Structures are given as C-alpha cells and as structure tokens.
Amino acid sequence: MGLLSNRVDKESLKPGDHIYSWRTAYIYAHHGIYIGDDKVIHFTRRGQEVGTGTVLDILLVSSGPARSVVPCPTCTPSGDGHGVVLSCLNCFLAGGVLYRFEYSASPALFLAKARGGTCTLAVSDPNDVVVHRAKYLLDNGFGCYNVFKNNCEDFAIYCKTGLLVVDQGTMGQSGQAVSIIGGPLAAVLSTPLRLVTTNVYGMVATAVTVYCASRYAADIGMRKDVVKVSAEDLTRKLATGLLQAIEPPIPAAPAPAPAPAPASAG
C-alpha cells in the first residue's frame, strides 16, 4: 500500500481481500470481496453496478463499463435477484485497474487520502470469516441497494469487519458516499468562516479542513453508532424489517405552472 495508490497485482491477492476498481473518469469505484480462484462476490442494484432511481443515474451509469452481449461462462447470472452476485475477476474489473482497500489505516494516512472509499481506520476480521460472510450473503442477500446508504462499498466493509452503522434501523454510509456528500457540505460549512480568512487561499484551506474532519468523523472505524452483527443475524433482521436499506424513490416530475389568466378587455 502506498500514499498515492492502493494498486496491486492479481498475483498478490488472497481470499478475503477487499478490492475495488475505479470506473471512467474516476467518478466512482466498484467494490467487492475476492474469495479466491479468480472469483469476486460483490453487491449490485439488481445486477447493475450503480443506480439511484433518480436523475443521478445519467451520470453514474454513463461512467460504467459497457456490458458484453456475450454472457461470461464463469459468472453467475444476476437476474432480478437480491443483488449480491458472483463474478470472475476480469468481469469485475471490466478492463479497469485493480486496487486493494486498506484496513487499520493510520489517521495520518487516512487524512492524506484525498478521496474517500480507499481505506478505513477500522480493523479487518480474519480472512476466513470475511469469505464466510461474503458467501453467506451471496445466498441470502444484503437488503435493497442504495447508492448513499447501502452500496457495494458498504457490503465489502461489512464483510471485512461485521460492523454496521445503524441509525434508527437504517444501514450506514460508505466512504465514497461520504466524500460525495462531504465535499459540498464542507463548502457550505466553511462559508460562515469566511470572515476569519483574509483571502481565497484561506477559504480553500478552511473548506479542506472541514472536509477532512467530516470524512474522519464519519469513518466506520471512528463512529460510536456501530454494532457488530453476524451475517446470519443481519439477514434475519432484514427479513423481519428490523433493519432496512430503502431504495430512494424516483422523484415525481414537477407539476406544470398554471397558464396565466387572460387579460381583461375592459
């Protein structure tokens, strides 16, 4: 692992590794758990890597890899199941570069990574436990896909740690989701602080500081609202509705403005 990149060779992989690959223009990364024999278990939205049910799909789906019309003979068909799928490593990478997510990162390294979704302060469980969780969820599901609260990175982090961020029964956010939200949030939060800065450089520094602080506080290795949940207990709670990850609704189109009243002739 390096400061600038978590890029690794396929030969260095071992079962239980949390791997990811950036898609076009580094808009997002797709995450999964390597289980050996060139196989990866990962979480999707009904077979699609991303999807929000909103206009954000236009940006995310357009950056995704083009799907081959010829099905891969070694991959499990996704169908319309629960979204956890088994793929060969090549199909998972979709022509992208292989990276390994880092666990037990030091605070200095974590903050040095400008982009979320590459490392965490949390500690990984043993690899055999990680593989067991991934295989169990392949058979039993991981709830409804939600790009902000229950996505492929959340799946991989759960498999590695068994930790879930639970807030009123809702599963928690991943590092790259926090980054997407944290950037604009930092800009907003730093705006009232512009009075203590003397120039634009001070404002930028303030925004960066707020952004890094928000990422650090939101990391699953730092949060206090996390619980250790077995895969068996997780799927039971999902089945009984005690834990939910709700797909965002498709927003309704705004109603057309009423036509102006005709002018009076008098």
Side-chain angles (χ1 to χ4, degrees):
M1 298 301 169
L3 177 61
L4 299 179
S5 174
N6 291 352
R7 183 171 180 172
V8 294
D9 296 325
K10 295 180 181 180
E11 292 74 20
S12 70
L13 290 180
K14 55 185 180 299
D17 278 349
H18 172 174
I19 60 176
Y20 64 97
S21 181
W22 292 103
R23 298 315 192 208
T24 307
Y26 290 82
I27 293 175
Y28 74 96
H30 190 52
H31 296 246
I33 297 296
Y34 181 73
I35 62 170
D37 298 324
D38 282 338
K39 296 293 191 300
V40 183
I41 296 176
H42 51 115
F43 187 42
T44 65
R45 185 175 188 261
R46 291 194 287 269
Q48 300 292 328
E49 284 187 7
V50 293
T52 64
T54 71
V55 293
L56 194 59
D57 283 342
I58 298 173
L59 174 65
L60 295 178
V61 174
S62 64
S63 69
R67 288 180 170 272
S68 172
V69 295
V70 180
C72 176
T74 63
C75 295
T76 302
S78 57
D80 293 324
H82 50 59
V84 182
V85 297
L86 175 68
S87 301
C88 69
L89 182 58
N90 285 337
C91 285
F92 172 83
L93 293 175
V97 176
L98 174 64
Y99 297 87
R100 183 160 47 210
F101 198 93
E102 186 170 358
Y103 286 79
S104 301
S106 67
L109 177 62
F110 181 87
L111 293 174
K113 299 280 189 180
R115 184 75 177 266
T118 60
C119 63
T120 177
L121 303 162
V123 178
S124 171
D125 287 330
N127 287 334
D128 57 333
V129 176
V130 175
V131 172
H132 165 74
R133 289 192 187 115
K135 290 182 175 180
Y136 187 87
L137 296 177
L138 175 64
D139 294 330
N140 296 277
F142 192 61
C144 296
Y145 184 97
N146 184 306
V147 72
F148 293 116
K149 293 193 174 186
N150 196 42
N151 57 38
C152 59
E153 186 186 344
D154 289 308
F155 170 81
I157 289 176
Y158 169 74
C159 289
K160 289 288 287 185
T161 66
L163 297 175
L164 288 178
V165 177
V166 180
D167 180 12
Q168 297 179 347
T170 301
M171 299 167 72
Q173 295 175 336
S174 64
Q176 63 180 327
V178 170
S179 291
I180 294 172
I181 299 170
L185 179 63
V188 171
L189 292 180
S190 64
T191 300
L193 302 178
R194 66 185 183 278
L195 297 177
V196 300
T197 62
T198 58
N199 52 42
V200 67
Y201 300 107
M203 293 178 64
V204 171
T206 302
V208 170
T209 300
V210 174
Y211 168 67
C212 290
S214 66
R215 277 188 55 226
Y216 186 82
D219 183 72
I220 198 168
M222 288 297 297
R223 298 181 68 146
K224 302 301 181 184
D225 55 344
V226 296
V227 292
K228 193 95 168 181
V229 181
S230 69
E232 293 79 4
D233 197 28
L234 168 64
T235 54
R236 180 185 64 80
K237 290 182 177 181
L238 286 170
T240 57
L242 295 177
L243 191 65
Q244 298 180 11
I246 303 172
E247 291 187 274
I250 298 175
S264 173

